[in-house]
Amino acid sequence: MPAARSPLPRSGADPGRRRVLAALLGAPVLATGGLTGCSEDRAALVETGPVELSVFWYGGAKRAELTERVLRLYTDRNPRVGFRITWQGAGGYYDRLATQAVGGNVPDLIQLDDGMLAEYARRDIVLDLSPYVADHRLDLRTLPPGLVRYGQVDGRTVGVAAAQTTAAVVYDRTLLRRLRLPAPATGMSWAEYVAWARRVTRASEGRVAGTMDPSGDHRALWLWLRGQGGEFYRGRQLGFDADALTEWFELWRRARSGRATPSAALVEQAEGGEPARQLVVTGATAASFAWAHQLPELQRLTDAELGLAAMPGPVEAQWHRASMYWAAFRGTRHPALVADVINFLTGNGEAGAVLGHERGLNPSLAVRRYVEGSITDPAQRRAAALGATLADRLGPAPSPPPQGHLRVRALLLEAAERIRGGGTGPRAAAARFLAQADAALAG
């Protein structure tokens, strides 16, 4: 039986929400006093009949099950609001959204990641939520300030974190116990991590490599840069030069020569990010790099017990990072109502209890405390424990990546693959990447 939950603070209570919904849907207000923060815009949005909002997200079947349960909970509380739901796997999701955007029929509520938030904002596809944040109809006061900032583009709130996550090392506890080797530890340097990976390869007599090669992983490079006082982006431009990128590529060239990583063919199989191809799941490496909230899904794919540690380097290089966002279509006919649904998904305790940590830690600190005792899945609890360990040590959040980020990510991967394949050296690959990336960001 779940442990008793502490009550949410007054700011997370429902009566204010119900007054707003009553105004939006034209229902009588059964409370004394007027509406807080009432405006002409809100008055103009009074509905006279049932409303159906369309919702679209990516993810697996478990995410769909939990999200649909939460949306039904919203409808139970607001019977005149229904939802038309569509979801799919991550592959092809943005292609489908792009097609919808061309036709002007984007769903009312969509899920985005940080690679697309700025692009959708600057193309005026998503709604500026700032007015709803300003009067707390969309109440972000219980979110970490850095997490709020990470949903802002050009000073506007265009997305609200659906959850918080962190880039992490996922390692095979079962294998390491068998080899009698220590687990990778939060706070170890990159050089220490590579040395640890070499020990694993030697101890396994080459049957298992120590670590996935992250030379083409933008998350790893970003944290490595921040650990040295740098940044991946500064505004809409790259925040590093060819010397820094060459040093990064050289780090992993030496790791490969020391057999800390597996063959280039194995690495390239895993670089698409599909959980089933993660090398720690297939048994090719003792450790891989993933988002912390992916641990439960990865654990379901292997009989080995998986553990979790922060990425190498100083913890302060990490920040309060959205695993993904909820955003509203700029052309929605029900903007205030969509903002209220986002408020429910990200700030309501009962909704948080249903969602658990499937997308990551709940964005609201108050909701995290409320649901803490109800999380029973061991992998979710390990992911939550890592988040709690890092919580007070994280650094300042950068802005979300600029438009063109997805192309930059692909170019980094291509550069790393050319180096691993022997087609070019680190410095030449770095110079070519910078020229191509600059063009992608300027386009």
Side-chain angles (χ1 to χ4, degrees):
M1 184 174 182
R5 303 187 188 101
S6 57
L8 283 171
R10 177 66 184 168
S11 62
D14 272 344
R17 281 192 60 263
R18 287 198 291 270
R19 289 197 294 272
V20 173
L21 262 291
L24 292 174
L25 299 173
V29 179
L30 303 177
T32 58
L35 289 171
T36 57
C38 188
S39 66
E40 289 183 2
D41 285 345
R42 192 186 308 174
L45 285 165
V46 170
E47 307 284 354
T48 58
V51 174
E52 183 181 63
L53 298 178
S54 52
V55 188
F56 186 32
W57 70 86
Y58 63 84
K62 187 65 175 178
R63 179 175 299 171
E65 174 196 343
L66 299 176
T67 307
E68 289 183 38
R69 282 176 56 191
V70 169
L71 293 175
R72 285 197 298 271
L73 183 61
Y74 187 93
T75 297
D76 288 345
R77 297 182 176 199
N78 310 284
R80 298 173 72 180
V81 181
F83 297 96
R84 186 170 69 256
I85 291 166
T86 311
W87 66 274
Q88 67 174 61
Y93 176 81
Y94 286 110
D95 292 336
R96 188 169 176 180
L97 262 184
T99 300
Q100 292 169 330
V102 169
N105 61 343
V106 175
D108 297 291
L109 179 60
I110 57 176
Q111 180 181 290
L112 297 175
D113 62 30
D114 65 0
M116 295 300 292
L117 188 68
E119 181 165 343
Y120 273 58
R122 293 191 174 120
R123 290 172 57 195
D124 285 330
I125 295 172
V126 293
L127 181 70
D128 181 3
L129 297 167
S130 302
Y132 306 100
V133 175
D135 66 8
H136 306 307
R137 284 177 286 170
L138 181 49
D139 193 348
L140 306 186
R141 288 174 290 181
T142 64
L143 275 64
L147 196 57
V148 175
R149 171 176 161 76
Y150 205 55
Q152 296 173 343
V153 175
D154 299 332
R156 301 174 296 147
T157 298
V158 292
V160 177
Q164 181 182 323
T165 194
T166 184
V169 177
V170 180
Y171 60 88
D172 186 333
R173 278 179 165 169
T174 304
L175 171 68
L176 294 175
R177 286 173 185 149
R178 190 166 67 245
L179 296 176
R180 298 182 180 180
L181 290 176
T186 294
M188 63 172 28
S189 69
W190 285 95
E192 289 169 338
Y193 178 75
V194 171
W196 169 86
R198 289 194 185 106
R199 287 181 64 193
V200 173
T201 306
R202 287 196 301 270
S204 71
E205 297 179 344
R207 289 188 296 272
V208 178
T211 182
M212 169 68 176
D213 177 342
S215 53
D217 186 334
H218 78 284
R219 299 169 300 185
L221 173 58
W222 198 335
L223 294 176
W224 179 81
L225 289 165
R226 280 173 64 96
Q228 302 181 95
E231 276 292 354
F232 200 101
Y233 293 110
R234 297 202 183 276
R236 301 188 188 185
Q237 298 180 325
L238 291 174
F240 58 95
D241 59 17
D243 288 342
L245 185 56
T246 300
E247 185 179 347
W248 170 251
F249 285 152
E250 286 285 1
L251 170 66
W252 294 103
R253 183 190 62 77
R254 293 191 299 272
R256 286 190 295 275
S257 66
R259 301 185 66 202
T261 65
S263 69
L266 280 173
V267 171
E268 287 173 19
Q269 280 181 22
E271 282 182 322
E274 295 176 35
R277 292 191 176 188
Q278 281 274 12
L279 298 185
V280 73
V281 167
T282 63
T285 64
S288 288
F289 300 93
W291 296 114
H293 72 276
Q294 292 177 309
L295 183 65
E297 184 175 6
L298 295 171
Q299 184 63 81
R300 289 192 289 268
L301 294 169
T302 178
D303 292 330
E305 182 186 0
L306 300 181
L308 204 60
M311 294 283 274
V315 170
E316 294 75 17
Q318 300 261 15
W319 64 93
H320 291 97
R321 191 169 198 161
S323 58
M324 55 205 72
Y325 304 90
W326 288 116
F329 175 41
R330 185 171 179 267
T332 181
R333 296 173 58 191
H334 314 284
L337 185 55
V338 176
D340 189 73
V341 175
I342 295 175
N343 196 54
F344 182 78
L345 289 167
T346 59
N348 178 273
E350 294 307 313
V354 172
L355 291 170
H357 297 328
E358 202 286 329
R359 284 181 171 87
L361 294 174
N362 192 282
S364 165
L365 298 175
V367 175
R368 286 184 208 177
R369 291 190 293 270
Y370 181 77
V371 306
E372 185 176 13
S374 67
I375 304 299
T376 58
D377 179 271
Q380 283 199 19
R381 291 178 70 89
R382 289 198 290 273
L386 177 64
T389 298
L390 304 182
D392 296 330
R393 302 168 60 190
L394 301 177
S399 297
Q403 187 170 346
H405 174 63
L406 290 189
R407 178 59 182 153
V408 172
R409 283 171 48 178
L411 289 169
L412 180 66
L413 198 59
E414 291 170 11
E417 288 175 353
R418 282 195 298 271
I419 296 169
R420 285 196 298 267
T424 188
R427 183 160 293 279
R432 179 175 177 177
F433 165 83
L434 260 70
Q436 293 176 316
D438 286 342
L441 293 170

